[in-house]
Amino acid sequence: MAKGEGAESGSAAGLLPTGILQAGERPAQMKKEPKKKQQLSICNKLCYAVGGAPYQVTGCALGFFLQIYLLDVAQVNPFPASIILFVGRAWDAFTDPLVGFCISKSSWTRLGRLMPWIIFSTPLAIITYFLIWFVPDFPQGQELWYLLFYCLFETLVTCFHVPYSALTMFISTEQSERDSATAYRMTVEVLGTVLGTAIQGQIVGQANAPCLQYLNGSAVASESANRTYSTSSLRETQNAYLLAAGVIASIYVICAVILTLGVREQREPYETQQAEPMSFFRGLRQVMSHGPYIKLIAGFLFTSLAFMLVEGNFALFCTYTLGFRNEFQNLLLAIMSAVPFLILVALMESNLIITYVVAIAAGISVAAAFLLPWSMLPDVIDDFHLKQPHSHGTEPIFFSFYVFFTKFASGVSLGISTLSLDFAGYKTRGCSQPASVKFTLKMLVTMAPIVLILLGLLLFKLYPIDEEKRRQNKKALQALRDEASSSGYSDTDSTELASIL
């Protein structure tokens, strides 16, 4: 591999006109001073990868459990609950480009440009996360309480995750090292989704509140509640949610500390040669006009919407449509949907063993469908850098708008799904639900995601960066880095080389 890279550097130098390379002087200089590859240790890669866990752990806990928590534990009516879910996700979407804009205007410090955002947002994020799962004593204004702290937490976790995502481009100047670190990150993020679901589900699942039997329009305590939940009570269930929030908040802090101590942010060699930074809106126009980025966003939009619909409604689906009230937290450990398995769930009769098999098989496919688009984004950014060699500091824009559209659309989908349950006649904390509610949940967890996934796969088919294109970009970009880091080249030389590449 090193031999190929050296040959590519030599061939790139040979492309330069004689006005830049005088009498073969600089190629000889390049041979005398070969660039030393920057290797990341396994410890560095693990420390970087661990930083992806907080977003996944908290995101899974909120995605799977916030809706059923608002409806059955906090006892918020379905309509205001739909407002909370929609506004929270929509606000989360708008904070991504806002934070990306602020980061692009940030100056480099002793800790870097991205690390200060990660460090200072962490303590506030864990406080607001804990308060999301706290039921206030006052009955009036609970909706405002959850809306406020949900929006605050989403803002603060964005201040953590957007710079962390952009950090991929700054942990090393070697593409192979960044690819390796991304693989570590993907692995930890998959484990983070499982960890968040396991912690929240297993703690909360041990203290389910007694359900209510609706008779003639009024709710009464079910006689079977004592047999089903023994000593459980609504207060115990609320305390269980607080305990789970405390455990997850502790994981958040530990991962942030490991990331901060184990990763050093680096600047690209050619970035230091920029005379003046590009404006945010100019960078935004260039990013949004990059074709591969638009196609990747569109495909990721539909596939992520499918998973978010399943994520937000699966607990209710298991509880009321399939009738597995005492098993849904265990099923959540395995379920991460895929089209064939969703079809099977939609068509089969209520059977616990088959549901477990379907959930485990579905989990095999979610990593590729949901997380691989994130590993494709650095390839898009590299392609952009080759086509726009003077555009630096755009990485936060790429990452922030990458999730902006998906978060906003997911807010719309979750709001509509909760509102549709209200129209279908959802009964808060009911032991059972009307047939219309069960049918609505089945459509939200099966047929709607199937359509969205198929649309996403069609868009991914149009994605223009294949493996051959990726290898070409990698070689050309490495040549550009080698030329930029060579002490014998001026700014003009590097600019002209970038144009030729």
Side-chain angles (χ1 to χ4, degrees):
M1 180 176 290
K3 181 178 179 181
E5 290 173 358
E8 184 61 28
S9 298
S11 63
L15 292 174
L16 291 173
T18 57
I20 298 178
L21 300 178
Q22 299 178 356
E25 176 184 352
R26 289 169 185 169
Q29 187 178 30
M30 290 176 61
K31 294 180 181 178
K32 291 180 181 179
E33 299 179 3
K35 182 183 176 183
K36 183 179 180 180
K37 294 187 66 174
Q38 297 178 343
Q39 297 287 343
L40 292 175
S41 67
I42 295 179
C43 181
N44 292 140
K45 295 175 183 178
L46 287 175
C47 291
Y48 166 72
V50 165
Y55 183 78
Q56 298 298 335
V57 171
T58 57
C60 273
L62 289 169
F64 277 119
F65 290 92
L66 183 58
Q67 185 183 48
I68 195 171
Y69 167 79
L70 292 175
L71 295 174
D72 287 357
V73 179
Q75 301 184 44
V76 178
N77 290 327
F79 179 75
S82 67
I83 299 298
I84 294 171
L85 293 172
F86 166 71
V87 175
R89 287 296 183 106
W91 173 253
D92 184 24
F94 281 108
T95 57
D96 281 282
L98 180 61
V99 171
F101 171 77
C102 295
I103 292 175
S104 67
K105 294 299 182 182
S106 300
S107 58
W108 280 83
T109 67
R110 184 171 58 89
L111 298 174
R113 185 173 64 179
L114 305 175
M115 278 297 182
W117 289 83
I118 295 173
I119 294 172
F120 293 112
S121 66
T122 296
L124 297 176
I126 61 174
I127 293 173
T128 53
Y129 179 79
F130 186 82
L131 292 176
I132 291 175
W133 304 104
F134 177 76
V135 179
D137 293 332
F138 49 87
Q140 300 296 328
Q142 280 191 350
E143 294 84 358
L144 293 178
W145 172 280
Y146 293 115
L147 181 61
L148 172 64
F149 287 108
Y150 188 29
C151 291
L152 283 176
F153 171 74
E154 295 294 354
T155 302
L156 293 166
V157 79
T158 298
C159 291
F160 180 100
H161 190 64
V162 169
Y164 170 74
S165 299
L167 191 62
T168 306
M169 309 302 296
F170 296 96
I171 57 176
S172 175
T173 58
E174 296 291 337
Q175 180 64 37
S176 59
E177 293 298 302
R178 295 191 307 195
D179 290 343
S180 177
T182 299
Y184 278 79
R185 173 191 167 189
M186 294 294 105
T187 303
V188 172
E189 288 190 347
V190 171
L191 295 176
T193 60
V194 177
L195 184 62
T197 305
I199 292 174
Q200 188 83 8
Q202 295 304 310
I203 294 177
V204 170
Q206 304 303 317
N208 282 324
C211 61
L212 300 177
Q213 187 70 44
Y214 283 83
L215 298 176
N216 299 324
S218 61
V220 296
S222 172
E223 294 181 356
S224 63
N226 290 332
R227 295 193 303 270
T228 306
Y229 300 105
S230 63
T231 60
S232 296
S233 66
L234 184 60
R235 176 58 62 182
E236 289 174 347
T237 304
Q238 295 170 357
N239 292 337
Y241 273 96
L242 289 178
L243 176 60
V247 174
I248 290 177
S250 301
I251 294 175
Y252 194 118
V253 174
I254 294 173
C255 293
V257 171
I258 293 175
L259 172 66
T260 303
L261 298 178
V263 177
R264 180 175 175 269
E265 187 177 347
Q266 303 179 28
R267 302 182 75 169
E268 285 279 15
Y270 54 79
E271 184 180 357
T272 60
Q273 298 178 357
Q274 281 295 106
E276 52 185 61
M278 177 180 295
S279 67
F280 174 80
F281 292 104
R282 180 187 171 192
L284 178 61
R285 286 195 299 270
Q286 292 186 356
V287 167
M288 288 303 172
S289 62
H290 192 54
Y293 183 62
I294 299 301
K295 292 181 175 66
L296 185 60
I297 281 181
F300 185 60
L301 170 65
F302 287 105
T303 54
S304 61
L305 276 179
F307 295 119
M308 289 175 184
L309 272 178
V310 177
E311 184 182 64
N313 295 281
F314 191 75
L316 293 173
F317 175 73
C318 289
T319 301
Y320 297 114
T321 303
L322 298 182
F324 303 139
R325 177 180 291 272
N326 296 329
E327 294 291 335
F328 80 91
Q329 70 273 11
N330 297 322
L331 290 169
L332 290 180
L333 288 176
I335 186 66
M336 290 291 181
S337 62
V339 171
F341 309 113
L342 292 178
I343 295 175
L344 183 57
V345 172
L347 298 179
M348 71 180 184
E349 297 293 331
S350 179
N351 186 293
L352 181 59
I353 296 177
I354 295 179
T355 304
Y356 266 108
V357 173
V358 168
I360 294 172
I364 298 174
S365 63
V366 68
F370 189 66
L371 295 178
L372 279 182
W374 280 101
S375 66
M376 298 162 66
L377 185 54
D379 297 332
V380 173
I381 297 176
D382 286 341
D383 185 73
F384 175 83
H385 282 161
L386 287 174
K387 295 179 179 178
Q388 303 286 345
H390 312 300
S391 302
H392 301 296
T394 56
E395 290 84 3
I397 300 176
F398 272 101
F399 283 95
S400 60
F401 276 89
Y402 193 57
V403 294
F404 166 77
F405 297 104
T406 57
K407 286 184 177 180
F408 183 79
S410 70
V412 173
S413 66
L414 288 177
I416 291 177
S417 65
T418 308
L419 194 60
S420 65
L421 294 178
D422 186 27
F423 292 150
Y426 182 85
K427 305 296 183 182
T428 301
R429 289 182 58 203
C431 292
S432 61
Q433 298 292 340
S436 58
V437 173
K438 296 179 180 179
F439 177 78
T440 301
L441 286 170
K442 178 175 285 191
M443 293 298 101
L444 291 173
V445 174
T446 57
M447 298 310 300
I450 288 171
V451 174
L452 292 171
I453 288 175
L454 293 177
L455 290 174
L457 293 176
L458 178 62
L459 290 169
F460 279 132
K461 182 67 176 177
L462 304 176
Y463 181 67
I465 302 179
D466 55 13
E467 185 60 26
E468 179 63 26
K469 177 68 173 178
R470 181 178 179 274
R471 284 196 296 265
Q472 293 175 359
N473 287 349
K474 177 181 177 180
K475 293 179 181 178
L477 194 60
Q478 187 60 50
L480 178 60
R481 292 193 181 103
D482 291 342
E483 297 296 337
S485 60
S486 177
S487 60
Y489 281 84
S490 64
D491 294 348
T492 305
D493 294 345
S494 299
T495 301
E496 200 160 342
L497 173 66
S499 301
I500 292 173
L501 288 174

